[in-house]
Amino acid sequence: MPQGTAPGRTPHIRGFLYASDACARIAQRLPVIAGSDSSVLIVGETGTGKEICAQALHYLSRRADGPWVAVNCAAVPVELIESELFGHVKGAFTTAHSSRHGLVKEAEGGTMFLDDIDCLPLLAQGKLLRFLQQQEYRPVGCNTVQRSDVRVIAASNRDLRVMVKQNAFRQDLYFRLNVLPVALPPLRERREDIALLAEHFVRQFDQARGGDGRRLSAQALQKLLAYDWPGNVRELRHVIERSVLLAAGARIEADDIAIDPALDADAQAEAPDPAGESFQAAKKRVVERFERQYIETLLALHHGNLTHAAHAAKKNRRAFFELVRKHQIDTRRFNDSP
Ligand SMILES: Nc1ncnc2c1ncn2[C@@H]1O[C@H](COP(=O)(O)OP(=O)(O)OP(=O)(O)O)[C@@H](O)[C@H]1O
Ligand SMILES: [Mg+2]
């Protein structure tokens, strides 16, 4: 398995780590999905782990010893994608000086991962649909039909249903791909995963730099928990990589956590706007944001235990609980933290 292996007791399935209920439910379904040969559609914002999930499916399936072929549909020029996927014969187009196998052939007996499937042009969508229905295809410029036994996993960070309505994505292909859907929530909606993933990445980058046993300080962790992660797990991984490089000692401090302020859309949106709103309104908004983040951070640090979190905040349990209720925070979300 090419992804970093998760240590001992960290819940993971083939490198896909999780602590949140939402991801635990996905992790539970992965072996079931891997046991079938139907197409899978993985959706989720950028950096939520679509590819690592797809790889887990491949390595859990009977095709694990077969090839894993990943194609980024957004990276292949529109006019070449058909021949890239299905191959071509000599002379099929001006630059086809010799015949070439497509990736569908290369993936025979294994899994083909079609990333950014929303970028697949309509013509190629038709060919892919036929392939999914019959395992049959014709290389560009070839009259004879060929067969290949391939499982297809597609991923998209755009809502394909909207594209179907706009006639930019074939509805029949959407239905065919969506037999087994997997939806990865953004990291800000599963904050319970932040600590687990952060510590995992710290270990990974620490080992890569000689294994000095670097650890996150409580303040550094709080800073990570308070941020909204528009770039999701990938952004968290980059931030941790940088912090491991920046940290002078074995302890990674809050100051070593360099979050790109340009990406902190939430903080910008919530910043006071003296020109546009009253002092009272601006203060209320900023205070509410602070309250929610403060409470969520403490709950995450204390695994959802209200008594411990209230104690750390030096508030009585009842007053703390009132705040939790005011912000409609579900404390069970934090129960699974490591
Ligand atoms: N649950 C997870 N456990 C461990 N590592 C993860 C997890 N989710 C994401 N990662 C890591 O975060 C990075 C981004 O994940 P991945 O490439 O799978 O995202 P993606 O959804 O395919 O992003 P994009 O839409 O930008 O292609 C990778 O380095 C991946 O290994
Ligand atoms: Mg990806």
Side-chain angles (χ1 to χ4, degrees):
M1 167 95 240
Q3 295 294 329
T5 44
R9 273 182 270 144
T10 306
H12 74 106
I13 182 155
R14 297 273 163 169
F16 177 78
L17 276 66
Y18 59 93
S20 64
D21 284 349
C23 285
R25 279 194 294 274
I26 291 170
Q28 262 170 16
R29 282 177 62 222
L30 291 183
V32 182
I33 296 176
S36 135
D37 243 0
S38 300
S39 317
V40 182
L41 178 62
I42 306 177
V43 294
E45 287 179 11
T46 181
T48 44
K50 295 184 294 295
E51 182 150 1
I52 199 175
C53 224
Q55 277 181 344
L57 284 173
H58 171 68
Y59 288 105
L60 286 166
S61 78
R62 66 174 174 83
R63 298 173 178 274
D65 293 330
W68 158 264
V69 175
V71 193
N72 187 329
C73 300
V76 183
V78 170
E79 65 279 11
L80 290 183
I81 186 90
E82 235 184 286
S83 113
E84 186 77 8
L85 292 179
F86 302 105
H88 62 252
V89 294
K90 187 176 170 183
F93 42 91
T94 38
T95 52
H97 303 303
S98 56
S99 56
R100 218 194 110 195
H101 285 312
L103 294 172
V104 153
K105 181 86 190 154
E106 234 173 75
E108 170 112 59
T111 307
M112 187 163 72
F113 177 57
L114 295 175
D115 203 358
D116 292 322
I117 186 86
D118 50 286
C119 293
L120 196 65
L122 280 165
L123 217 64
Q125 287 180 25
K127 254 188 143 154
L128 177 63
L129 177 66
R130 174 166 178 189
F131 177 65
L132 291 175
Q133 286 168 334
Q134 291 152 9
Q135 277 97 53
E136 281 178 5
Y137 66 98
R138 273 192 304 120
V140 178
C142 177
N143 291 325
T144 53
V145 165
Q146 304 197 0
R147 296 184 67 82
S148 185
D149 166 37
V150 175
R151 189 199 199 170
V152 172
I153 302 180
S156 172
N157 51 30
R158 286 177 67 188
D159 189 342
L160 293 181
R161 287 168 307 183
V162 173
M163 293 186 65
V164 167
K165 281 206 190 101
Q166 297 165 339
N167 293 325
F169 202 85
R170 288 180 66 133
Q171 186 174 43
D172 43 12
L173 177 60
Y174 170 69
F175 287 138
R176 187 81 205 183
L177 287 172
N178 202 35
V179 179
L180 296 169
V182 176
L184 287 169
L187 192 55
R188 63 186 167 279
E189 286 174 19
R190 45 176 168 113
R191 291 183 184 274
E192 308 87 302
D193 289 331
I194 295 175
L196 173 91
L197 288 167
E199 278 156 11
H200 167 68
F201 294 138
V202 167
R203 273 193 302 268
Q204 228 178 36
F205 290 114
D206 177 61
Q207 272 161 25
R209 301 203 62 217
D212 293 338
R214 291 176 184 78
R215 300 286 308 260
L216 289 165
S217 72
Q219 288 79 4
L221 185 58
Q222 277 184 32
K223 189 165 174 182
L224 297 174
L225 288 167
Y227 181 56
D228 259 0
W229 301 109
N232 296 293
V233 185
R234 177 175 299 110
E235 187 187 3
L236 174 63
R237 192 166 186 273
H238 283 151
V239 166
I240 295 289
E241 180 174 17
R242 225 174 327 156
S243 74
V244 168
L245 287 172
L246 287 176
R251 233 162 66 122
I252 300 169
E253 303 292 352
D255 279 350
D256 301 322
I257 305 282
I259 287 169
D260 186 349
L263 286 176
D264 196 352
D266 195 33
Q268 279 177 359
E270 307 259 348
D273 170 20
E277 65 186 331
S278 72
F279 176 77
Q280 279 304 331
K283 184 175 166 188
K284 182 165 180 276
R285 227 165 23 82
V286 174
V287 169
E288 288 200 342
R289 173 183 155 83
F290 157 77
E291 281 180 0
R292 181 171 51 81
Q293 285 189 348
Y294 185 92
I295 295 163
E296 285 190 339
T297 302
L298 279 185
L299 285 170
L301 284 172
H302 294 281
H303 314 311
N305 185 315
L306 270 173
T307 310
H308 290 175
H311 185 72
K314 299 201 171 54
K315 276 183 98 63
N316 70 43
R317 193 177 183 280
R318 196 191 175 109
F320 191 82
F321 184 63
E322 278 310 313
L323 281 172
V324 168
R325 214 166 47 188
K326 173 178 158 194
H327 291 282
Q328 299 180 337
I329 296 167
D330 181 359
T331 56
R332 285 171 309 183
R333 271 171 49 206
F334 302 96
N335 286 347
D336 289 333
S337 292

